[in-house]
Structures are given as structure tokens and as C-alpha cells.
Amino acid sequence: GVAPFGITVLAKNQDGIKELYKVLSSIKDDGVCNLIDLDILKKNRKNLLIGSCGNMGALYDAIAKSEYTEKIAAFYDYFEIYPTKDKTEKDIYKKIFDLGEELGVPVIATGNCHYISSDDAICREVVITARNLQNSDNGKFFVRTTKEMLEEFSYLGNYGAEKAVLKNPQILI
């Protein structure tokens, strides 16, 4: 099968880098996006960490549609949540955080960064426009300070924000 949703793949070590190359070599371009062969990923994941890819992942989609299954959650080593101003997304991320707490799966707050500062968004917009893509990010994929990340995830409460921003990322190291 192929992954029609986003995933984050991190290498744990040098062996993981070799496994990651095998996975990357299996990518197929269907003309719309690049698809990873999940069978190859499953065979080569011993030294890899698989993340749920925030609002682009299957876990987010399943929870948003109230179609969550334990099989979906079991595929990931950690759940990933992104900064957002959208109330619906925050509600879904809160459910993902609570699910992670329930299942003992670390929930990691990541910036989903594409550039250093929000001013750099224009460069990405030029590329997106040049490629005729319909994917404006409104300058939200920039590197945030720890304080800014804690503020972004304050809707999880102090405990949740500190766990997702500070504590859980250290678990993966």
C-alpha cells in the first residue's frame, strides 16, 4: 500500500539513515504527490521514528472525521501537532494530545518550519505560485522561540504545553 497522507520520518542513528535511503528510494510520484511504499517503510523502520505529521496525517484526518482506529495510532512512534490559530484544528490537536496521554505515545509540538522568520514566507509563496500550487501558508511556518511555542500550545494548559513543547521532544533524543 501507499501513504496518501503525510508522515514524518526521522533517523535514530547511522543505520536509520541507511533505512531512510531505502524508504526514499521507494517513493513513487503519482503526478500529484510523492507516495511512500508502506510495506518498504514497515520493513525498514527499526532505526526510524515515524511521526503523525500534524494536520496532514492520517491520525489527524481520522480524528477530524470521527473515524479513529487504534490501528492508525499504533503505526506512529509519536504524534505531531503544529501551531495554529484555527479553533477546529486546536480541538483536534487537543484530542490527539489526550489520545497520546491515554496510549502513552509522546505528543510533540513542532513548528512545521519552512523558513526562519515570518518575513521569509514571501519566498515560499513565489515558489508555490510558480508551481501553480494552491497552498498558501499565510506566513505561519517559521521558527518560533520556546516561549512562542509555549504560547501557541497554551490551549493544552500549562501541563500539556510544557509536555508537548519541552518534555516529550527530549524523549526522542
Side-chain angles (χ1 to χ4, degrees):
V2 293
F5 296 100
I7 59 172
T8 302
V9 183
L10 304 173
K12 293 181 190 180
N13 50 38
Q14 267 319 110
D15 289 335
I17 292 172
K18 291 176 188 173
E19 292 171 356
L20 184 56
Y21 284 139
K22 289 177 187 176
V23 172
L24 293 174
S25 296
S26 77
I27 289 177
K28 307 227 181 328
D29 183 352
D30 73 350
V32 176
C33 64
N34 295 318
L35 302 171
I36 292 176
D37 185 315
L38 291 180
D39 294 330
I40 292 174
L41 178 60
K42 288 174 187 174
K43 288 178 192 170
N44 292 285
R45 72 178 287 176
K46 179 181 177 190
N47 294 291
L48 299 175
L49 294 169
I50 310 299
S52 65
C53 201
N55 63 355
M56 298 180 304
L59 180 64
Y60 180 97
D61 186 68
I63 290 175
K65 294 177 178 176
S66 298
E67 296 174 358
Y68 163 75
T69 67
E70 288 185 26
K71 184 178 177 185
I72 292 170
F75 181 73
Y76 301 107
D77 298 303
Y78 67 98
F79 301 154
E80 196 171 0
I81 57 177
Y82 298 155
T84 184
K85 301 293 183 209
D86 184 88
K87 184 183 178 341
T88 301
E89 285 188 345
K90 286 180 181 180
D91 290 344
I92 295 167
Y93 284 147
K94 175 77 170 98
K95 289 177 184 176
I96 290 172
F97 180 83
D98 292 343
L99 180 65
E101 289 287 286
E102 177 186 327
L103 298 177
V105 176
V107 178
I108 310 291
T110 68
N112 189 25
C113 303
H114 292 78
Y115 35 81
I116 301 296
S117 74
S118 57
D119 294 339
D120 297 332
I122 188 67
C123 298
R124 186 164 188 263
E125 289 296 322
V126 168
V127 171
I128 288 170
T129 302
R131 295 179 73 193
N132 290 323
L133 300 175
Q134 307 294 318
N135 188 5
S136 178
D137 62 44
N138 298 317
K140 65 182 179 182
F141 297 138
F142 62 94
V143 176
R144 290 166 173 80
T145 66
T146 301
K147 182 180 177 190
E148 289 170 331
M149 287 293 282
L150 288 168
E151 288 170 5
E152 288 282 350
F153 294 96
S154 62
Y155 64 89
L156 297 175
N158 285 340
Y159 168 82
E162 288 184 13
K163 193 159 186 184
V165 173
L166 301 172
K167 184 178 178 188
N168 286 348
Q170 294 180 23
I171 293 171
L172 294 184
I173 297 174

